[in-house]
Every structure is written in structure tokens, then in C-alpha cells.
Amino acid sequence: MSQKPQHDLSACPGCAEPLDTGDRFCGACGYDLSAVPASAPDRPTVAIGTPVSWPDAPAREPGSLSTVTQHPGDLPGTDSGGHDLPTTEAPEGAEASAARPARDLPTVPVRTDGPHAAATSGSGLAALAAETAGAAKTAGAAGAAEAPASPGPDGDFTLAAPDPRTAPPTPTPPAGTKLCVACRAGHVDPDGYCENCGHAQPRERDHMEQELSAVAAVSDRGLRHHRNEDAFTVSATALPDGSPATLAIVCDGVSSATRPDEASAAAASAAGRSLLTALPRGTHPQQAMHEAIVAAAEAVNALAEEPGQGGLEHDPHRHQNAPACTIVGAIVADGLLIVGWVGDSRAYWVPDDRTSPPARLTQDDSWAAQMVAAGLMNEAEAYADERAHAITGWLGADAYELEPHTAAFKPDRPGVVVVCTDGLWNYAEAAEDMARVVPTDAAGRLLHGAQVLVGHALDGGGHDNVTVALLPFALSPQGAGSA
């Protein structure tokens, strides 16, 4: 009597009830366990690292892009079910080694001059190879830049570099021609726009920086204005005894006036020239500052003069809305700190030792300052008023009366002088606020400190042009008195 193969199940296939080895039926659902086919013998997986004897790879044929391809029937072994892989029978009279002829992948020529249709065998390969060879021959005869690609020692393909002899020559622009910064092709017209793409070109004064050994300044157009109406001059000279003198002048054009950018530039330049003339001559720094402001005012007044007219009687209205600006300057020389100003541009003193109090060194010529000085408002109320920034003093032909303000200080500790327009101090008005935003290493890194202050104004909104100059103040060897 034949006997059914015993199952090796641990649970019923029908209801998952646990089973014993000798059970023929499931005690829970009655499943016929003899109907379950015997499982195939387990074939263990070869562990990684166990040596395996692989057949040698076929040799690479000359001119082929790949080695001979192995196919599943070319290697002895079994499939996933444990059965032997089918083999190709050798034809009668043939050697056993020819039973499974090597089958190479098709070799496709590579082109570097553009895409081509895929060809895999037969006439397609021949036609493509002929086409590639013909293109290479034509290119070589004409001296073209490209050559048929060929694999290098590492099997990679390198493309030939373009031949500069075949590239169209780039026309050289006439001498003095300004090219567009955007397209680099069009010429810039006198109005500052590209004739090719129409891109507005950046003006030279949109962002300016200057650094000397003992003074640095930065000026930026800001984020809201279409031009920079601020200007500055920084310089250094020597007094008659050979001691150094450093100066900085900062001017802010009055936007409601005509040509405010020209006014600030003229004032800063004239004041700087005046100081560089007066200080080496032995003029006291405070008197030199006064004379510099007067010279700046005369330069701005001259802008209101119309060509061909030398007297007021020719045009009694020519001074109306004339070019105008504010001015503030500082001189560090001979242990003294001199400041001078007209308008609402300011100078601050920030000591290197931040435990010492900073100070504002100037008093605005503005509506708000007058209200506070007259006792009509406190400072918070005055500067909250919409008329707060209306200036009562400026340089220009329509100014009421020129009253240069100057002051001399003798600090008792080292520090840095901040000379700036309201484009900065609007974002750090109080002396304590300014001291917080001035970098602690500003005296040793002047340009960086000025850049940080301009960045602070831009981060705050950049509603106005921003200009700031920094001058370090070091104590003289014999010491100094209190400020």
C-alpha cells in the first residue's frame, strides 16, 4: 500500500490552526493535509565572500566597443526553480565548443557633430559608419574644428576643441565706447541706457567707497532713490610741525532743490580743497573748518549762476529753488577733534571702551531742533512731527544767511568719529543707538566699519541715500584733558 508523503507544515493552510507532524486532517476545519504538495528541497544561498569559480570572460575583439556578451544559456547553472538551464545543442559535425557561439553586441560608431538615428545591425551599421567616415574626411579636408571621436587609454571619448580660426571675429568697439553691463554688446547712450537691450547702466555714484590709512568712507544710493545725492571727501595731510591731520567732509543734497547731486559734489570738493590748503599753512583747525564751509557755500552758490548772466538784475528769479545741500565735517589733528556743520547731517563720538558714554557732537539746523531749543516740545514729540526733518540751514543761493557751526573737543580716551547723513542716523538716532551699531573693531577696520553702518541703514529700509565716514581718534603721547 502506497503511503502519502507526510506534511512538514506547522499550521493549517486553511485556518492557520497549529498542526502536529502526523496529522492527516486539520482538527479545526477538516483540511486534507495530504493534498498539500511536498516542498522542494532547500537550496542554500551562497554567502558573500565564499569563493566562486566563474568562467573567464571572453577576449575583446579588435575594433569592438564591448566585450563578447554572456547570455544565460552560456553558463552552467540552475534557474530559480532549481532546474538546469537549457543549453544550445551543437549541430552535427561541429565541435562542442561551438555549441554556444559567442554573440557580440553591435558596435555603433560615435559622432560628435550632432544626433543620429540608432542603428543596430546590418546595412544600418554600414550606412552609419560610412556617413561618419565621410563627415570626418570632409572636416579634415576643410580644416574644420571637430574630428571623429576615438576612445582614449581609459576608454573615455574626448571631443575636439573648437578651432579659433573658424570662429567669427568679435568686433572691437571704438576707443572710449562704453558697453552695456547687462548684454555686453550694446553701446550706452548719453542718457545712460543700452542701445541694444535698453538696460539702465549703474551710475558711478550709486555706490562709492574710499579708504586711507586713517579714514574711510562709504556712500550708497539706498533702496528708494533713483540717484545718489550724497557726496564725500576724505583726505590726510600734515601740520607745519609734521604731525598728521585727517579730515572727512560729508554732504547731503536737498532733494526738493534743483541739481542736488551737483550741489553736494561741489560742496564736498570745495571744502576738502580748502582744508588741504589751510591746515599745512598753520591755520588753526577750527578756523580752517569755518573757512572750508564758507568755500563750500560759495561753490554751491556758483551753480545758480546762469551762463552769460553776471548780475541779479538779468534774472531776479534765478535763485528760486537753487541747488542746495547740507554739510558736516570733522578734523582729527594735534590731539583735537574739530567738527563743523550746516544742516542736519551729523557727527558722533563713539569711544573704543563701550563702557564710556558716546556723544552726538552736532546740533541739527531743523524744525524739530528749534522746537526743542525753544522749549515748545520735548525731543520725542518734535521728531514725531511730520515737519521734524524740515531743515532751517543749508548751503545754497536761496539760504537765508550762512551760519557755519564749529566746535572743538579734546577726548580723554581713544575712539572713532562717525560723520554721516540722515540716511544713516534715521536708523540710529541717539548716540547710544549709534554706538550699538558701530563695530567694536571699527578703529582698526575703518572701511569694514563704514560698510557695516551703511548695511545697517539698508537693512532698515534704505529710504534715503546713505553716506558715512569714520575717523579714529588716538590719544597724543602727552595725554589729553576731558572733552
Side-chain angles (χ1 to χ4, degrees):
M1 183 175 72
S2 64
Q3 197 172 12
K4 298 279 187 179
Q6 293 187 345
H7 68 82
D8 56 354
L9 301 175
S10 60
C12 174
C15 65
E17 180 73 9
L19 299 175
D20 294 329
T21 304
D23 290 345
R24 298 181 58 189
F25 298 91
C26 175
C29 66
Y31 191 96
D32 186 1
L33 300 177
S34 62
V36 178
S39 60
D42 183 39
R43 297 180 180 273
T45 303
V46 177
I48 295 177
T50 302
V52 179
S53 177
W54 295 101
D56 295 334
R60 179 169 173 166
E61 294 185 0
S64 174
L65 294 181
S66 64
T67 59
V68 176
T69 306
Q70 299 287 355
H71 296 268
D74 298 338
L75 300 176
T78 59
D79 60 16
S80 59
H83 305 290
D84 291 335
L85 293 172
T87 59
T88 305
E89 296 294 337
E92 293 183 5
E95 296 294 336
S97 60
R100 292 183 295 274
R103 290 167 287 174
D104 193 9
L105 290 176
T107 300
V108 181
V110 176
R111 292 177 53 176
T112 62
D113 57 346
H116 60 81
T120 57
S121 63
S123 60
L125 283 175
L128 185 56
E131 179 186 353
T132 304
K137 182 177 181 180
T138 302
E146 296 181 356
S150 58
D154 56 356
D156 291 336
F157 290 83
T158 57
L159 301 182
D163 189 346
R165 296 171 297 179
T166 63
T170 302
T172 302
T177 301
K178 185 177 180 180
L179 294 180
C180 174
V181 298
C183 68
R184 304 301 302 172
H187 297 168
V188 179
D189 62 22
D191 293 332
Y193 292 87
C194 176
E195 296 176 348
N196 178 49
C197 67
H199 188 89
Q201 305 301 296
R203 297 179 178 89
E204 182 181 358
R205 289 179 60 176
D206 282 356
H207 186 88
M208 301 178 291
E209 296 183 357
Q210 187 175 355
E211 181 182 31
L212 303 177
S213 59
V215 62
V218 176
S219 181
D220 192 90
R221 182 184 56 154
L223 305 179
R224 303 296 181 90
H225 280 239
H226 70 285
R227 65 181 175 186
N228 190 358
E229 298 168 357
D230 289 356
F232 67 82
T233 291
V234 293
S235 190
T237 185
L239 301 180
D241 62 358
S243 60
T246 309
L247 60 97
I249 300 292
V250 169
C251 297
D252 183 0
V254 177
S255 297
S256 59
T258 59
R259 297 182 290 164
D261 53 332
E262 296 181 28
S264 62
S269 179
R273 288 195 304 269
S274 177
L275 289 174
L276 290 178
T277 300
L279 291 174
R281 202 167 51 204
T283 306
H284 189 278
Q286 190 167 358
Q287 178 63 30
M289 178 62 76
H290 180 95
E291 294 175 358
I293 295 176
V294 173
E298 293 174 350
V300 177
N301 292 347
L303 296 177
E305 300 291 338
E306 296 183 1
Q309 296 187 3
L312 194 64
E313 65 279 2
H314 296 288
D315 185 4
H317 304 292
R318 66 190 173 99
H319 286 170
Q320 291 182 356
N321 202 31
C325 69
T326 67
I327 186 171
V328 62
I331 303 172
V332 174
D334 195 26
L336 292 176
L337 168 57
I338 309 296
V339 296
W341 74 97
V342 173
D344 63 348
S345 293
R346 295 180 176 179
Y348 292 83
W349 162 255
V350 178
D352 291 344
D353 179 8
R354 298 305 169 85
T355 61
S356 302
R360 197 176 95 193
L361 307 178
T362 57
Q363 183 68 39
D364 297 345
D365 290 320
S366 67
W367 180 89
Q370 284 192 347
M371 294 298 104
V372 174
L376 301 177
M377 291 183 178
N378 61 38
E379 190 165 326
E381 294 172 339
Y383 281 97
D385 194 283
E386 61 182 6
R387 298 165 290 181
H389 290 278
I391 58 176
T392 58
W394 62 89
L395 306 183
D398 58 353
Y400 300 121
E401 184 178 355
L402 179 62
E403 294 184 5
H405 311 289
T406 62
F409 302 90
K410 207 168 187 180
D412 61 351
R413 54 183 56 86
V416 64
V417 185
V418 181
V419 184
C420 63
T421 61
D422 61 344
L424 171 61
W425 66 252
N426 276 332
Y427 300 98
E429 186 170 343
E432 293 76 13
D433 298 332
M434 185 64 70
R436 277 193 292 270
V437 298
V438 172
T440 55
D441 61 348
R445 302 175 65 194
L446 295 172
L447 182 60
H448 173 261
Q451 292 169 338
V452 169
L453 293 176
V454 170
H456 174 74
L458 297 179
D459 292 342
H463 289 75
D464 199 356
N465 307 144
V466 190
T467 302
V468 57
L470 295 182
L471 301 89
F473 182 91
L475 290 179
S476 56
Q478 69 271 18
S482 60

